[in-house]
Amino acid sequence: MSTVGTAPRPRPELERLPVYRAGRPPADVPGLVGHKLSSNENPFRPLPEVAAAVRDALALNRYPDATAAPLREALADVLSVPVDGIVAGAGSLDVLNKILAAFAGRRADGTPDEVIFAWRSFESYPISVGLSGAKAVPVPLTPEGRHDLDAFLAAITDRTRVIILCTPNNPTGPALSGTELDAFLDRVPADILVVIDEAYVEFAREPDAVDALATVRHRPNAVALRTFSKAHGLADLRVGYAVGHPDVIASVQRGAVPFAVSTVGQAAAIASLNAMPRVLERVEAIVVEQERVVAELRSRGWVIPDAQGNFFWLPLGEQAEAFADAALDAALSVRAFPGDGVRISIGSPEANDRVLDLCGHWAGAAA
């Protein structure tokens, strides 16, 4: 292969995008079992019936159903929504990318559409928006780590095509209430698509937490985005979906890559849906652990935003990376966002106890 000359240059937008940084694995520390608490993974292994469904589906020489019809039919039955109101993909991020490709990009005159989202929120949002060709419009969170919906409304222009709401918000934790979401949607123009990202919805215990499925039933410009990676513990199989008005979903499906969800992934997701009571028992165990850890840290002076996911947020600012380095020394991996804070996933009780011990020795606890 010749190496003479220069390689083709990518789109200029690509060079301006931030780089996604996955959670690090724990360091190898003698005498300590490592715990990865940096990626909001479910600490429980799949249920036995889910593992059995995976084994039974391992005929790898055939393509899966092009539109994940078996999974969509199962979801339609469980969620009481029409099959044509569901689109599936390789994780909820893949589905979000499909939504953005369908509804945001560049206009005929070459100017970009605009997509509004909170910041800090899921770090893939600006990457996904940039790849679509649209312009990212980040709206700062409140000091409590919550979405500032009044600021969202103020950010809307005639170029706004999509709004993304992450609830519970990753990485800070607070969830939107149904009351504030309804009041917000009443003021959003009907031609703007509002994506409600509920990756952590099963963990939310806010009494009036958003139920996006109820919302999309009577608001054609709203879409609920969900995943099997968190509560169901199927992160490695990459299965996500969106629920919305059939016309919206048809537009998303039209540009979707076929065969996005493997037969194995569909089989596991369907088996997990059929075992939902046991899935929710595990979710409750994680919630109980999270409440224990957060309550203990607050009693020691830590300021922690409302935690409605399977994680919590330490607003450490410039100390974030130093804390993450100290965690590595304790065979813990946590997710540092330089200059902002640290997100810590809830793991096993042993891992969570080690987090408490680390925080108890951290000099910046009350900062």
Side-chain angles (χ1 to χ4, degrees):
M1 181 179 67
S2 173
T3 58
V4 177
T6 59
R9 293 184 63 80
R11 290 165 48 197
E13 294 92 343
L14 193 66
E15 296 179 356
R16 296 193 291 266
L17 295 181
V19 176
Y20 181 84
R21 301 189 186 282
R24 292 185 290 181
D28 186 9
V29 178
L32 291 176
V33 175
H35 296 282
K36 185 184 178 190
L37 307 177
S38 55
S39 297
N40 293 348
E41 295 159 327
N42 192 315
F44 294 105
R45 295 183 64 82
L47 292 165
E49 54 265 53
V50 175
V54 168
R55 290 192 297 271
D56 292 343
L58 283 176
L60 302 180
N61 60 313
R62 302 295 184 188
Y63 285 111
D65 183 89
T67 65
L71 172 60
R72 290 166 52 237
E73 290 166 2
L75 284 166
D77 183 58
V78 170
L79 304 177
S80 299
V81 299
V83 173
D84 60 358
I86 303 172
V87 60
S92 58
L93 180 58
D94 175 52
V95 181
L96 176 62
N97 288 340
K98 294 174 181 177
I99 292 170
L100 292 173
F103 286 92
R106 289 195 173 271
R107 302 188 173 199
D109 62 2
T111 58
D113 293 322
E114 295 178 352
V115 178
I116 301 173
F117 53 85
W119 198 253
R120 177 172 292 277
S121 193
F122 183 34
E123 63 183 308
S124 284
Y125 292 160
I127 301 172
S128 295
V129 173
L131 288 175
S132 76
K135 177 184 176 182
V137 181
V139 174
L141 296 168
T142 70
E144 297 77 28
R146 299 182 58 83
H147 281 53
D148 186 341
L149 295 183
D150 287 337
F152 268 67
L153 292 169
I156 293 174
T157 72
D158 61 356
R159 295 193 175 279
T160 305
R161 297 289 291 127
V162 177
I163 295 173
I164 306 172
L165 304 175
C166 186
T167 178
N169 187 53
N170 172 24
T172 57
L176 290 166
S177 73
T179 301
E180 60 185 337
L181 176 64
D182 284 339
F184 174 73
L185 292 175
D186 285 343
R187 299 172 64 187
V188 172
D191 62 345
I192 295 175
L193 185 66
V194 179
V195 179
I196 307 166
D197 187 347
E198 292 190 303
Y200 302 93
V201 64
E202 294 90 351
F203 301 95
R205 294 298 181 267
E206 175 76 27
D208 186 28
V210 165
D211 179 358
L213 291 179
T215 299
V216 303
R217 285 188 173 95
H218 65 276
R219 294 190 185 268
N221 69 326
V223 172
L225 188 62
R226 292 188 171 183
T227 183
F228 283 88
S229 295
K230 307 303 180 183
H232 292 268
L234 302 179
D236 190 44
L237 292 177
R238 313 305 303 128
V239 184
Y241 63 97
V243 180
H245 189 280
D247 289 346
V248 171
I249 297 302
S251 296
V252 176
Q253 189 67 62
R254 189 172 297 119
V257 176
F259 314 119
V261 187
S262 68
T263 300
V264 173
Q266 291 184 65
I270 292 168
S272 197
L273 284 174
N274 291 336
M276 201 64 195
R278 295 182 63 198
V279 170
L280 293 179
E281 286 178 5
R282 292 177 162 197
V283 167
E284 186 61 26
I286 294 169
V287 170
V288 168
E289 271 295 283
Q290 183 230 63
E291 291 175 344
R292 175 181 76 89
V293 173
V294 170
E296 178 63 26
L297 290 175
R298 285 176 176 159
S299 74
R300 299 178 186 180
W302 287 86
V303 177
I304 299 174
D306 187 25
Q308 295 291 322
N310 65 338
F311 57 89
F312 60 93
W313 175 252
L314 301 179
L316 285 166
E318 297 301 326
Q319 299 184 80
E321 290 179 285
F323 182 94
D325 289 341
L328 284 176
D329 291 340
L332 298 169
S333 68
V334 299
R335 185 67 171 86
F337 296 85
D340 284 344
V342 172
R343 186 194 67 199
I344 303 179
S345 310
I346 294 298
S348 66
E350 176 191 353
N352 302 331
D353 286 342
R354 197 179 302 167
V355 169
L356 289 173
D357 184 62
L358 170 65
C359 291
H361 292 89
W362 182 251

